[in-house]
Amino acid sequence: MESAASLMTSFTQFARRLDDDLVSTVGKIEAKPNTPNVICHQVTFSLDVRHPSVTTLELYEQEMNTLIAQLEREKRVNVHVNRWTNVQPVNMDDSLVELAYKESERLNYQTKFMHSGAGHDAQIFGTHCKTSLLFVPSKDGISHSPKEFTAEHHLRAGVNVLKSMIYTLAYEKRSSYHDELPLS
């Protein structure tokens, strides 16, 4: 367990040092035999790594491999990595992101720019058309959980920004999207 904890700590600390936008999340941990007072012989944990730059992700992976090799030598443990997915980052459209920010400010909503890296529909659409995401706060930052809760005023704010963006794109001449979006 000590070796796994050391890796988890090293992975998250290196992510913070490498880039503020790099997210490295340990989300699941399983120790075997998972019994009190018995030294565990195997630890499995998940690591979700996200960043908008492939180069940064590759640098992070190189450092992970270095840390793993170092731990295997020093502690004489075996580490097995099972990369079960490798999804390339999809950039959101700068002009849509800017429009969302401007409309949020115009409506007097507090804004924060953030890279998501989440596997939303936008990740799929973003490879075919101009795409962006709007996020609203969840209580205590909890999402994708039965404990997730978003206050009604935050939901209304998100809908208002989206409506304002759609109106601007549909009716105002500030955008060139009218000629670019396919209708079929």
Side-chain angles (χ1 to χ4, degrees):
M1 182 60 124
E2 179 185 351
S3 296
S6 175
L7 276 181
M8 289 182 256
T9 301
S10 296
F11 290 165
T12 55
Q13 287 176 346
F14 179 69
R16 283 190 212 110
R17 286 192 314 269
L18 183 60
D19 190 309
D20 287 339
D21 292 325
L22 180 62
V23 176
S24 174
T25 305
V26 175
K28 181 179 180 182
I29 304 170
E30 181 182 343
K32 290 184 181 176
N34 199 23
T35 305
N37 302 321
V38 176
I39 297 171
C40 68
H41 64 272
Q42 180 180 343
V43 177
T44 303
F45 65 91
S46 66
L47 184 67
D48 185 9
V49 182
R50 301 176 186 197
H51 191 275
S53 164
V54 172
T55 303
T56 300
L57 291 170
E58 288 171 350
L59 284 171
Y60 182 79
E61 184 174 10
Q62 289 171 9
E63 179 63 16
M64 280 178 45
N65 291 332
T66 300
L67 291 168
I68 290 168
Q70 180 181 350
L71 182 81
E72 286 180 317
R73 278 191 316 275
E74 292 175 2
K75 300 288 185 177
R76 289 181 280 198
V77 296
N78 294 316
V79 177
H80 172 73
V81 176
N82 176 19
R83 178 193 253 175
W84 57 276
T85 186
N86 183 15
V87 179
Q88 297 297 307
V90 175
N91 291 323
M92 300 293 98
D93 180 71
D94 290 338
S95 61
L96 284 177
V97 171
E98 183 180 339
L99 178 61
Y101 184 81
K102 285 181 180 178
E103 295 302 324
S104 297
E105 284 204 325
R106 187 182 66 74
L107 294 168
N108 294 315
Y109 295 129
Q110 185 178 1
T111 60
K112 176 184 177 182
F113 176 82
M114 57 188 269
H115 295 284
S116 166
H120 295 276
D121 293 344
Q123 186 176 27
I124 297 165
F125 284 115
T127 61
H128 302 288
C129 62
K130 295 180 179 188
T131 306
S132 70
L133 290 165
L134 291 175
F135 289 100
V136 293
S138 294
K139 186 178 186 303
D140 298 326
I142 297 171
S143 65
H144 303 92
S145 163
K147 294 179 182 179
E148 180 176 2
F149 174 80
T150 299
E152 187 175 329
H153 70 278
H154 288 305
L155 294 171
R156 287 179 197 257
V159 169
N160 288 338
V161 171
L162 180 59
K163 284 184 348 187
S164 184
M165 289 176 67
I166 290 169
Y167 183 89
T168 298
L169 291 170
Y171 297 109
E172 294 184 13
K173 298 296 182 188
R174 293 177 18 183
S175 171
S176 63
Y177 284 92
H178 306 326
D179 301 329
E180 296 178 29
L181 289 176
L183 298 177
S184 56

